[in-house]
Amino acid sequence: MAIQENGNGGVLKYKRMDSDAMEEDGVLCEEKRNDSSRKYVLVCAIFASLNSVLLGYDVGVMSGAIIFIQQDLKITEVQEEVLVGILSIISLLGSLAGGKTSDAIGRKWTMAFAAIVFQSGALIMALAPNFKVLMIGRFLAGIGIGFGVMIAPVYIAEISPTVARGSFTSFPEIFINLGILLGYVSNYAFSGLSPHINWRVMLGVGILPSVFIGIALFVIPESPRWLVMKNRIDEARVVLLKTNENPNEVEDRLAEIQQAAGHVNAEKYEEKAVWRELLNPSPGVRRMLITGCGIQCFQQVTGIDATVYYSPTIFKDAGIKGNTQLLAATVAVGFTKTMFILIAILLIDKVGRKPLLYVSTIGMTTCLFGLGLTLSFMGNGSVGIKLAILCVCGNVAFFSVGIGPICWVLTSEIFPLRLRAQASALGAVGSRVSSGVVAMSFLSVSRMITVGGTFFVFAAISALSVVFVHKCVPETKGKSLEEIEMMFQNDRPQQGGELELEDVKHLMQTQ
């Protein structure tokens, strides 16, 4: 406190602002800004993930709706397989087109287009008088889902800060699981209606999330990296100021993105088509494609969609009787799948991608093998039923805690900016094709080698995924998108930033 006399002989008191007080105010302001930017990115990630609810809901609701579609439309087992699996096959068209579309009109409006197409398909399916019209609606819904599943992780990865990118990019997988759970609940809730009405209501409810996607368009910004690609630098700077916790780093981040976007060599990139580079990749891009497409395929060929789509069939084979009991058991599966994805969100940026992938793939292998044993040797008894439910719930839990969300995180962060959208689309195609093949062949293969034998096959494939993770997947935790690109471009990408054994020996020899 200082004292000073004024001109009238009075005393004027004032308090000096020392450096400690100013520093404390600065810290408080910084904390408020960090909190504000995190909340803003969180809201954007949530809205961008709403398309994933559509995919999850369709997967979950079809597992129960197919029972009543069979009764109402009198479809054959082959038609059932085609109806269930065709969505994944058709969605590859949306994913392939989605990469080009998102580069042309932007990430944000591609998500809007995806919602509109899916909404049209869902409405046609709900009103379908026969199998042919039902397939037309399924076709449109598949294209919409294909657009949605590839663009949401890309968009979120491009707006998220490095320290939280893994958690935020996992949001689409959370919403897929939420959609699956809602689909299961819808099955159970509407199963009491007549077979001519209930499955139509179940499918029609899937239109509702599209309303929220429309609202999202007025909230979320365009991706700053796409804006840089279009040379809209000032708009990109505004978005980065909203999403970056440290405003002093915005210009550095903007410079990195500009360099990655290749504005210096813009003419060169215009001459060399993206797909030509993907089809004839450099060694670094080849490593990216092996990692990204490989993890996407392993996510599906281990049988997760077969487990979800045909869980009533699995539980019926285990000995559960009655549609209501079957659908109630599937609700438990959906609840487990949704709860364990939250664990992945909490751990992915703390533990890292690779440790969670190890836990996930090893756990899935164990549960799939256990399910094969249970269905082959312990079916139709109370113990067998309990073990089957436990193994299915364990399989979806291990899937959700690792390979489920992390495969989308990896494919959205490992590719360079100029290739990211279309390379991610290629990975999504691998995922959708694998899912479709598994879903469309599960019943036929099960008739040939039994349901238990089919899960032994899935267990063997899951064991191979453990080897793939060890050999081909690097740790990307804590690295910016541009740093990850450089890591893959090196001749020997280092795992998690640690020194290789040969590097240590070289250092020792030098000393």
Side-chain angles (χ1 to χ4, degrees):
M1 185 74 69
I3 301 176
Q4 177 182 352
E5 292 186 0
N6 63 18
N8 299 320
V11 178
L12 176 67
K13 296 183 179 180
Y14 65 91
K15 183 176 182 179
R16 182 174 58 86
M17 295 293 292
D18 58 22
S19 59
D20 291 340
M22 293 177 66
E23 183 177 346
E24 183 179 346
D25 289 343
V27 170
L28 289 174
C29 291
E30 185 66 23
E31 289 178 352
K32 288 181 180 179
R33 176 180 174 80
N34 291 348
D35 187 56
S36 175
S37 63
R38 279 193 293 266
K39 287 180 179 178
Y40 183 74
V41 176
L42 174 64
V43 170
C44 292
I46 290 173
F47 277 124
S49 302
L50 289 176
N51 265 317
S52 301
V53 176
L54 304 178
L55 171 60
Y57 183 83
D58 185 272
V59 171
V61 79
M62 189 55 72
S63 67
I66 194 66
I67 298 173
F68 305 106
I69 292 173
Q70 274 184 315
Q71 297 176 16
D72 186 30
L73 301 183
K74 311 300 181 186
I75 64 175
T76 65
E77 186 176 275
V78 173
Q79 287 176 319
E80 178 186 351
E81 283 185 315
V82 171
L83 181 64
V84 169
I86 198 66
L87 182 133
S88 295
I89 299 295
I90 294 301
S91 66
L92 72 87
L93 300 177
S95 292
L96 282 172
K100 188 71 174 177
T101 303
S102 66
D103 280 345
I105 67 174
R107 301 355 182 184
K108 174 179 174 178
W109 293 107
T110 300
M111 288 186 281
F113 181 71
I116 293 171
V117 175
F118 178 87
Q119 195 174 38
S120 303
L123 183 61
I124 291 173
M125 285 193 293
L127 300 175
N130 53 52
F131 181 74
K132 290 182 180 179
V133 177
L134 188 62
M135 286 297 295
I136 293 173
R138 195 79 169 149
F139 183 91
L140 287 173
I143 291 178
I145 284 175
F147 274 99
V149 296
M150 65 77 45
I151 194 57
V154 172
Y155 173 82
I156 297 171
E158 291 185 347
I159 67 166
S160 299
T162 299
V163 294
R165 189 179 61 245
S167 297
F168 285 135
T169 311
S170 300
F171 273 35
E173 186 66 22
I174 293 180
F175 280 75
I176 288 176
N177 283 276
L178 178 60
I180 290 172
L181 178 58
L182 291 175
Y184 284 156
V185 172
S186 178
N187 287 337
Y188 185 75
F190 299 117
S191 61
L193 301 175
S194 70
H196 181 68
I197 298 296
N198 56 12
W199 65 269
R200 300 177 188 278
V201 177
M202 293 173 186
L203 297 178
V205 170
I207 297 173
L208 295 179
S210 300
V211 177
F212 297 100
I213 294 172
I215 298 173
L217 297 177
F218 296 97
V219 177
I220 63 176
E222 183 53 84
S223 160
R225 286 170 170 82
W226 182 83
L227 292 170
V228 170
M229 286 176 63
K230 298 301 179 181
N231 206 23
R232 293 158 62 176
I233 307 302
D234 291 337
E235 295 176 57
R237 183 181 289 108
V238 171
V239 177
L240 286 172
L241 284 169
K242 292 180 179 179
T243 59
N244 206 300
E245 295 181 353
N246 189 345
N248 298 324
E249 295 178 357
V250 167
E251 292 303 323
D252 292 338
R253 179 63 61 200
L254 189 60
E256 284 184 10
I257 296 172
Q258 285 181 271
Q259 184 177 4
H263 276 283
V264 176
N265 300 308
E267 293 181 0
K268 173 184 174 182
Y269 288 136
E270 289 174 0
E271 293 172 3
K272 186 174 184 181
V274 169
W275 281 109
R276 191 180 307 159
E277 187 172 357
L278 290 175
L279 294 174
N280 186 25
S282 64
V285 173
R286 186 180 298 114
R287 281 191 288 270
M288 295 174 189
L289 289 171
I290 290 172
T291 299
C293 296
I295 199 70
Q296 287 275 18
C297 290
F298 271 115
Q299 186 207 42
Q300 292 299 329
V301 294
T302 48
I304 188 62
D305 274 7
T307 304
V308 174
Y309 274 128
Y310 297 108
S311 52
T313 302
I314 297 168
F315 292 139
K316 184 183 292 185
D317 196 68
I320 297 179
K321 307 297 182 184
N323 290 338
T324 303
Q325 289 82 0
L326 290 172
L327 296 179
T330 61
V331 172
V333 175
F335 183 79
T336 302
K337 200 170 186 295
T338 303
M339 289 300 100
F340 274 84
I341 190 69
L342 300 178
I343 296 176
I345 298 306
L346 295 174
L347 296 180
I348 191 170
D349 283 316
K350 295 179 181 179
V351 176
R353 283 64 157 154
K354 198 159 185 174
L356 287 180
L357 282 174
Y358 278 133
V359 171
S360 176
T361 51
I362 293 171
M364 287 171 60
T365 302
T366 304
C367 291
L368 289 167
F369 186 76
L371 184 58
L373 287 175
T374 300
L375 296 176
S376 298
F377 303 109
M378 303 180 67
N380 296 317
S382 61
V383 175
I385 291 173
K386 292 176 182 177
L387 284 175
I389 294 175
L390 179 63
C391 288
V392 171
C393 288
N395 181 50
V396 299
F398 280 114
F399 176 88
S400 292
V401 86
I403 196 169
I406 291 175
C407 93
W408 296 107
V409 174
L410 284 173
T411 53
S412 64
E413 66 184 6
I414 63 175
F415 295 108
L417 179 57
R418 68 184 183 279
L419 305 176
R420 185 170 298 138
Q422 299 198 45
S424 296
L426 196 61
V429 166
S431 171
R432 294 297 88 207
V433 170
S434 302
S435 171
V437 170
V438 170
M440 294 177 71
S441 62
F442 179 80
L443 293 178
S444 300
V445 173
S446 296
R447 296 290 177 270
M448 295 170 58
I449 63 173
T450 74
V451 177
T454 305
F455 280 97
F456 282 131
V457 174
F458 287 144
I461 297 172
S462 184
L464 291 177
S465 72
V466 181
V467 179
F468 178 83
V469 169
H470 177 69
K471 295 288 187 181
C472 301
V473 179
E475 181 57 73
T476 57
K477 182 190 75 169
K479 295 179 173 65
S480 71
L481 298 178
E482 290 70 33
E483 289 172 339
I484 293 171
E485 177 185 349
M486 293 305 299
M487 180 176 65
F488 272 93
Q489 295 295 352
N490 292 335
D491 290 337
R492 291 179 301 162
Q494 296 175 359
Q495 305 295 309
E498 297 178 357
L499 291 174
E500 301 280 354
L501 180 60
E502 293 181 5
D503 295 329
V504 175
K505 290 180 180 179
H506 179 71
L507 288 173
M508 293 176 65
Q509 290 173 358
T510 303
Q511 292 176 351

